[in-house]
Amino acid sequence: MDPYLSIVIPIFNEEENIPALWSRLSNVLAGHFSDPGKSWEIIFTDDGSRDRSLAMLLEIAKGEPRVKVVEFSRNYGQHSAIFGAFAEVRGQIVVTLDADLQNPPEEIPKLVAKVEEGFDVVGGWRQGRQHNDSFFRTMPSKIVNAITRKTTGVFLHDYGCMLRAYRRNIVDAMLLCKERSSFIPALANSFAKRVTEVPVAHAERAAGTSKYGLWKLINLQFDLLTSFSLLPLQMLSVFGVITAAIGFLLFLGLVAYRFVHPEGTAQGVFTLFAILFFFVGCQFVAFGLLGEYIGRIYQEVRDRPRYMVKKVHQAQ
Ligand code: UDP
Ligand code: MG
């Protein structure tokens, strides 16, 4: 029989966290989801870990048939890992969470209750966000939040929190999206009718370090900016029109100046350089942005798989 609740957890080099995660998670599940009508399954994706994570997960799965481990062939990133697990879910309600215990498993029943109330997507809203996450980690999240709000038109306080619950049909809809760069919280909202947030506790990373370097974050940023809207391209055109207009006015001004001061000198040259450099910079940004869209089109037309599953492990 299909379970009621599916829990999805991406794992990348989390050997220090797995034992605590498993014990806290199994406590919560035993406490809240023990009747037969509320059965559960857990799907771990091992996203190409290079430490003992996979071995530890397999050890857990050996003794517990409700645990499934999706083994990736290499590291494909958190969101691909979640998709890899989504492909395996069978529950009616799907909850995602991070393995590093920043999202307390004890909050899961609260999210599930909200879905039962009738919401399609329930996001966690991290309270007391740990600001000893480095500056490079918190600052980009703020930008991510702001941009996602704009581009998806759904107001949520916290798009970055991966402790989230979805009704199964939302997950199925997301699985139909073949584009390779998908920011799951934003994607989910584009299919949901009723979205809400519940405050959840937020802890420090229990052990290990964040798997997000600055570069991965910049990548995520581009994903968001380009996969949900054409707004950046439209802004480029608007900017082009405005600068062209300014340039034209400047030209008129210079002509007029020539008439008033026919002996006019070349003193404006350096100002002109400054202006020129500014616009050259803008052009590079514009090219980069265009290139970003074209690169993404290229990736989409190649239509390679988003990830490769080496094996799905489950005890019988
Ligand atoms: N993760 C993953 N693949 C990656 C990077 C991260 O599966 O390439 C997992 C990681 O094991 C954790 C979750 O995604 O369970 C969130 O990662 P992390 O805590 O490093 O992100 P942060 O909390 O800094 O956003
Ligand atoms: Mg974390």
Side-chain angles (χ1 to χ4, degrees), residues 10-12 14 47 75 77-78 81 98-100 102 137 205 209-212 216:
I11 303 274
F12 178 53
E14 300 283 5
D47 187 16
N75 179 252
Q78 180 186 2
D98 284 352
D100 56 6
Q102 283 190 289
R137 189 68 196 85
R205 196 172 221 292
T209 50
S210 173
K211 308 297 183 282
Y212 276 95
K216 269 196 182 173

Side-chain angles (χ1 to χ4, degrees), residues 91-104:
Q92 293 163 33
I93 297 178
V94 181
V95 171
T96 58
L97 87 157
D98 284 352
D100 56 6
L101 296 168
Q102 283 190 289
N103 308 139

Side-chain angles (χ1 to χ4, degrees), residues 295-313:
R296 274 155 202 277
I297 295 170
Y298 176 57
Q299 285 189 334
E300 295 302 332
V301 297
R302 277 198 302 182
D303 199 22
R304 297 209 176 152
R306 183 154 44 189
Y307 53 80
M308 283 299 288
V309 176
K310 198 162 160 195
K311 192 168 175 205
V312 180
H313 306 261

